[in-house]
Amino acid sequence: MPGLRIVIVSWNVRELLQACLASIEASLAGSDLEYQIIVVDNASHDGTPAMVRTLYPQVGLLEPGRNLGFAGGNNLAFRQITASEGDRSPYILLLNPDIKVVGEAIPRLVQELAAHPELAAVGPLLRYGDQTIQSSRRRFPTRATFFWESTALDRLWPANPWARRYRCAETSETVAQPVDWLVGAALLVRSEAIAQAGLLDERFFMYSEELEWQARLQQAWGGIRFVPDAVMIHYEGKSSEQAVAARHLNFSQSRILLMRLWHGWRWAAFLRAFLRLSFAYELSSEWLKLRLGHRPELRRTRIALYRDLLRTL
């Protein structure tokens, strides 16, 4: 049967990774798919490599010795797969370590991609740990989307039309459908499409890299499809919440980089100025709440965060 390579880039989430690996094996236990799992450990200090070597010796373990980010870590595995003599695996599954595969979700995704040679990639329905649905379907962002999605404006007006369109809010998440791109926590990609489109852009350390990549995958090969009867649980943010300031900075810098690549330097400079103004607004709001005595420890933490962002962005 077709070969499958599963790539997991992990940083300091040993227990979640262990559960992820167990769920992968359970998902594929009744399948005749030939597969290999590759874990890229981005310099974890929680014993992740020892756990993989001890409990899952059959899993390929790559240890670059430093944090390569999402794009760099996946690319390291992609290059090894490509360099492996005789490896003709037609499918590569990118999986976050905080994912738990439900039932036969992985074989279902492979079945969908195998049945539709015009597709470059497919992805599952994601649910949070409390079983609520995670928004994972996306359209490509317009210029307005950069200012209205996941910003202070979005929090002030969460039902704004630009963010709703971006998140495909007008279509049901229970129906299989073509999308522009999918959240990269779980994405099955055709190897031939990667060969045509190229690897992830390592200028993106984290965030927006899967967006930019899926745009190239579509240009080089074909569509992206959302497959809701394949379900995975996503315990989102367990790595990034360990470095909150870095998470916000990486997210903002990635959006600015994408704006520059797609719309030029002037729009990127405008977005940077807007984000700095947004962080200044958030800083002022937190300072006022602190003066009013509302949850002072939380306010001091957030004030320090926004000051760091204004200094570094």
Side-chain angles (χ1 to χ4, degrees):
M1 290 296 291
L4 169 66
R5 298 295 173 259
I6 302 170
V7 178
I8 305 171
V9 178
S10 186
W11 184 66
N12 289 326
V13 285
R14 181 186 59 197
E15 286 77 15
L16 285 172
L17 174 61
Q18 183 176 338
C20 177
L21 293 172
S23 73
I24 293 169
E25 292 191 342
S27 181
L28 290 164
S31 168
D32 54 1
L33 279 168
E34 180 274 324
Y35 72 96
Q36 181 191 22
I37 305 170
I38 301 171
V39 171
V40 181
D41 182 71
N42 270 340
S44 297
H45 49 73
D46 66 345
T48 290
M51 180 276 292
V52 173
R53 282 191 290 266
T54 301
L55 299 181
Y56 294 94
Q58 73 279 18
V59 169
L61 178 62
L62 301 180
E63 298 180 75
R66 59 190 179 93
N67 193 340
L68 300 178
F70 182 84
N74 277 294
N75 284 350
L76 179 66
F78 292 165
R79 292 187 182 103
Q80 174 166 328
I81 292 168
T82 303
S84 297
E85 185 176 351
D87 194 330
R88 297 294 183 267
S89 305
Y91 310 118
I92 296 178
L93 175 62
L94 281 68
L95 210 60
N96 277 13
D98 54 5
I99 285 284
K100 181 179 180 181
V101 183
V102 177
E104 298 180 352
I106 295 176
R108 174 68 187 93
L109 291 176
V110 172
Q111 177 190 46
E112 186 74 14
L113 200 54
H116 297 278
E118 76 280 5
L119 295 178
V122 295
L125 173 72
L126 298 178
R127 291 186 180 273
Y128 292 114
D130 64 1
Q131 294 299 311
T132 58
I133 293 176
Q134 177 185 357
S135 171
S136 62
R137 299 164 300 135
R138 298 288 186 269
R139 290 189 174 93
F140 291 132
T142 64
R143 290 179 180 87
T145 307
F146 284 90
F147 297 91
W148 282 100
E149 194 274 331
S150 296
T151 66
L153 292 180
D154 190 17
R155 288 189 290 278
L156 291 170
W157 186 13
N160 74 80
W162 302 279
R164 283 182 56 79
R165 182 187 180 280
Y166 178 65
R167 298 170 183 144
C168 304
E170 78 286 357
T171 61
S172 173
E173 62 275 305
T174 63
V175 178
Q177 59 199 266
V179 296
D180 285 345
W181 67 284
L182 292 163
V183 170
L187 188 71
L188 181 69
V189 188
R190 194 180 302 277
S191 298
E192 290 176 284
I194 298 175
Q196 293 291 326
L199 303 183
L200 287 151
D201 189 334
E202 295 183 25
R203 287 175 292 181
F204 297 92
F205 181 79
M206 187 180 296
Y207 303 113
S208 295
E209 66 281 275
E210 78 266 46
L211 190 173
E212 188 276 337
W213 191 46
Q214 288 177 68
R216 284 190 282 120
L217 286 169
Q218 290 205 56
Q219 292 171 355
W221 189 271
I224 313 289
R225 189 169 179 83
F226 172 69
V227 185
D229 56 342
V231 179
M232 300 187 186
I233 307 299
H234 187 201
Y235 300 96
E236 186 184 29
K238 298 303 180 182
S239 291
S240 60
E241 70 184 14
Q242 300 173 59
V244 177
R247 178 183 66 191
H248 283 277
L249 182 62
N250 286 327
F251 182 81
S252 298
Q253 289 179 329
S254 293
R255 296 295 287 268
I256 293 168
L257 173 58
L258 186 63
M259 179 72 95
R260 178 173 64 82
L261 292 176
W262 283 9
H263 301 296
W265 285 99
R266 290 185 179 180
W267 277 101
F270 185 27
L271 179 60
R272 183 188 297 274
F274 167 78
L275 292 173
R276 286 183 56 84
L277 183 63
S278 297
F279 292 141
Y281 162 78
E282 300 281 11
L283 176 61
S284 299
S285 176
E286 294 298 329
W287 181 85
L288 178 59
K289 292 174 184 177
L290 177 63
R291 295 283 291 179
L292 293 173
H294 182 262
R295 303 180 67 183
E297 290 304 316
L298 175 63
R299 302 309 162 197
R300 292 190 183 97
T301 298
R302 290 183 176 176
I303 286 170
L305 167 65
Y306 290 122
R307 282 176 173 168
D308 284 345
L309 290 170
L310 286 168
R311 277 195 296 266
T312 53
L313 185 61

